[in-house]
Amino acid sequence: MTRPAGHAHRVAVRARERGQVLPMFVFSLLAIIALAALLFDGANTLVTRRKLQNVGDAAALIGSNVLQTSGSIRACSATNGPPPGAPRQDIIDAVNASIQANWPGFPSGQVSITCPTGWDNQAVSVNLQTISGTFFVGAIGGSAPTVATVSTALNGQVTGSSYSVVILDPSNPSWPNGRRGCPAFLISGGPTVTFDGSVFVDSSCPAGSGGAIGSNGNAATVSFASGKGLFVVGGYSPGPLTITPAPTLGVAPIADPLAGLEPVPYGSMTVRSNARLTLNSTTQILQPGVYRGGIRMLNSSVALLRPGIYVFDGGGLDIGAQASMCSINATSSPADCSTFTADCPDLTCGVLLFNRGTQSGSNAMGPISIGAGATLKMRAYDDRANSGQSFQYRNLLVWQDGNPAPSSSYEQPTIALNGGGSVDISGTVYAPGALVSMGGGSGGSGGSPTNLLIQFITWDLTMSGNSTFQFFYSDADFARPTDYGLVE
């Protein structure tokens, strides 16, 4: 039987097709392995990176926690100077311990711990590196990928401010007259006031209701340094008041910049007096601690305060006319405040006056009152003069607890800085629930200028009298909010 002529041709074609299957299979297999390498090994690399990042983040946070808990050194660098510099050994130990706890056996040679630039020596950076495991990449001639992460944690005060005053009262129309935040910033009488920093007023009170800022009495003048000004959420009722430059209205309110401060640990502090301490025509050196019932100074009394935190647990502070209070260092023993400059040098001296108490009863919060004719010479709290104390209170001079909070039925006691005597104070006055009143000369007698290196963060503020006030601004001398957390 004779086969058709085309039969042999078809057989030959099929034979050639069978010969092409193997290389096609090989190429397909290689493509499948490459895709598997991309899928599985790529996913494994991502998982390794995430694990490495988590370990690095935790270690950086642990290191930043240690950063602020070692005696008087409040910096990443062991030299307490600006980075780059070698981290302190306690930070290195804490970081390595955290890494080993979260990734046992992680090679120490693949860990780098540094003090990064740009964070005022208040941050810790942890760099980790490892080789990611693979499943298929070796089969196609590839090598295991290297995974590296960087984690930086901040724990310190690196963010400054540009304001001399922040007034936090948001305006409360239903509250009794005088506590509505209409105005929250009152200029009374005829003072001349110059601010080197800006003033922010959170009150939303409209001009028709008295404005967030207002005045009464004689003509008063408020002026600002170049580039600074008055920023108001609500309206403006000028009255006999000249403000240069004109206020900026309708701005967004500012959150309390010091709201994150940790509470003063007064419960663990030494109690220096179980009842109100009264000084009457006597001189006494006081130690930091808790003064239950507060302190009252009569006639020509002199109180000399060693560095630290003074807690007035009810009763407040009353410095009468002709009395004197000043801060001194840990070793000097002057007879009065006349040698204040020598007795209270920078970095070795400073106090925080913390006023607290209940809304009513025997432990009710009392006012802070500096009487006309009184002498007040103080540096603000400086942790560098108080080994082991909290850095976050640095540059706080007066802090009145925000609780009990003001309400329609409760008004916190006033902080009254009245004048006529001698005032040499610096730092931040923080009263998030109280009115601060500066009256009379507040330190300037006979109309002489009063120069103050003071920042106010208060609920309300009143300035009265006929003196000239110059509020200098220095970010390095004012309290800063504490920044904490991962920044990289």
Side-chain angles (χ1 to χ4, degrees):
M1 178 177 174
T2 303
R3 294 180 181 276
H7 175 72
H9 174 71
R10 288 193 295 274
V11 171
V13 169
R14 285 197 294 271
R16 289 194 300 270
E17 290 176 345
R18 284 197 298 271
Q20 293 174 356
V21 169
L22 182 59
M24 291 177 63
F25 172 75
V26 171
F27 287 129
S28 298
L29 182 60
L30 290 174
I32 291 171
I33 293 175
L35 289 173
L38 180 64
L39 177 63
F40 291 100
D41 291 347
N44 187 61
T45 299
L46 292 176
V47 170
T48 301
R49 179 180 294 277
R50 174 45 55 196
K51 179 181 179 181
L52 197 68
Q53 189 72 63
N54 289 341
V55 171
D57 289 351
L61 286 170
I62 290 294
S64 72
N65 290 340
V66 175
L67 190 151
Q68 300 294 354
T69 57
S70 181
S72 60
I73 301 176
R74 312 292 183 181
C76 174
S77 173
T79 60
N80 203 23
R88 293 174 1 217
Q89 189 60 47
D90 56 346
I91 293 176
I92 294 174
D93 293 343
V95 168
N96 285 328
S98 174
I99 293 172
Q100 291 302 314
N102 291 299
W103 193 322
F106 193 89
S108 59
Q110 295 168 201
V111 178
S112 174
I113 307 167
T114 59
C115 301
T117 59
W119 300 106
D120 198 23
N121 214 2
Q122 301 292 294
V124 177
S125 190
V126 178
N127 299 261
L128 302 180
Q129 181 175 301
T130 191
I131 303 297
S132 177
T134 62
F135 298 100
F136 297 100
V137 72
I140 57 174
S143 59
T146 298
V147 179
T149 60
V150 178
S151 302
T152 302
L154 170 68
N155 186 6
Q157 296 168 302
V158 300
T159 304
S161 64
S162 61
Y163 40 77
S164 290
V165 176
V166 176
I167 299 174
L168 300 169
D169 188 345
S171 176
N172 307 277
S174 64
W175 286 16
N177 190 30
R179 302 212 312 268
R180 298 177 180 176
C182 296
F185 185 17
L186 175 64
I187 307 293
S188 180
T192 298
V193 186
T194 302
F195 291 103
D196 281 355
S198 293
V199 174
F200 290 83
V201 183
D202 279 0
S203 173
S204 60
C205 183
S209 299
I213 176 172
S215 66
N216 57 38
N218 303 322
T221 301
V222 176
S223 59
F224 294 86
S226 176
K228 308 300 180 181
L230 176 62
F231 300 89
V232 185
V233 174
Y236 167 44
S237 180
L241 176 62
T242 301
I243 299 178
T244 306
T248 300
L249 306 179
V251 302
I254 290 183
D256 181 350
L258 299 181
L261 284 175
E262 294 181 4
V264 171
Y266 59 88
S268 61
M269 295 174 62
T270 301
V271 175
R272 301 295 182 181
S273 177
N274 277 303
R276 180 174 230 186
L277 176 64
T278 299
L279 305 181
N280 190 354
S281 298
T282 186
T283 297
Q284 186 167 338
I285 293 178
L286 302 180
Q287 299 289 343
V290 179
Y291 291 81
R292 293 174 177 163
I295 297 176
R296 186 183 187 192
M297 300 179 63
L298 302 174
N299 300 314
S300 58
S301 296
V302 177
L304 307 168
L305 277 59
R306 297 289 191 200
I309 300 174
Y310 292 75
V311 178
F312 308 127
D313 193 7
L317 172 66
D318 182 6
I319 304 178
Q322 311 310 314
S324 301
M325 177 177 281
C326 60
S327 54
I328 60 175
N329 63 35
T331 59
S332 62
S333 299
D336 53 35
C337 296
S338 62
T339 55
F340 168 72
T341 302
D343 295 322
C344 193
D346 195 15
L347 306 182
T348 67
C349 175
V351 298
L352 166 58
L353 308 180
F354 180 65
N355 193 32
R356 67 168 308 277
T358 58
Q359 182 169 317
S360 59
S362 59
N363 195 44
M365 180 186 291
I368 294 178
S369 178
I370 314 301
T375 295
L376 184 68
K377 295 186 177 183
M378 289 188 174
R379 286 190 184 274
Y381 178 85
D382 192 332
D383 56 284
R384 291 165 293 189
N386 302 271
S387 179
Q389 298 293 325
S390 177
F391 73 100
Q392 65 173 324
Y393 304 140
R394 183 182 296 181
N395 295 331
L396 268 177
L397 177 64
V398 176
W399 179 4
Q400 181 155 303
D401 195 355
N403 291 308
S407 67
S408 60
S409 58
Y410 173 69
E411 180 179 12
Q412 279 202 356
T414 297
I415 297 176
L417 305 176
N418 297 310
S422 176
V423 173
D424 185 352
I425 55 178
S426 61
T428 297
V429 175
Y430 180 45
L435 165 69
V436 172
S437 174
M438 295 195 70
S442 292
S445 58
S448 61
T450 303
N451 299 324
L452 300 168
L453 188 58
I454 288 291
Q455 179 189 59
F456 290 114
I457 301 175
T458 71
W459 182 256
D460 290 314
L461 178 64
T462 294
M463 301 189 69
S464 60
N466 296 289
S467 291
T468 298
F469 298 95
Q470 172 74 49
F471 286 88
F472 292 106
Y473 175 82
S474 172
D475 176 56
D477 290 287
F478 298 152
R480 291 180 172 185
T482 300
D483 298 299
Y484 176 77
L486 292 166
V487 293
E488 184 180 10

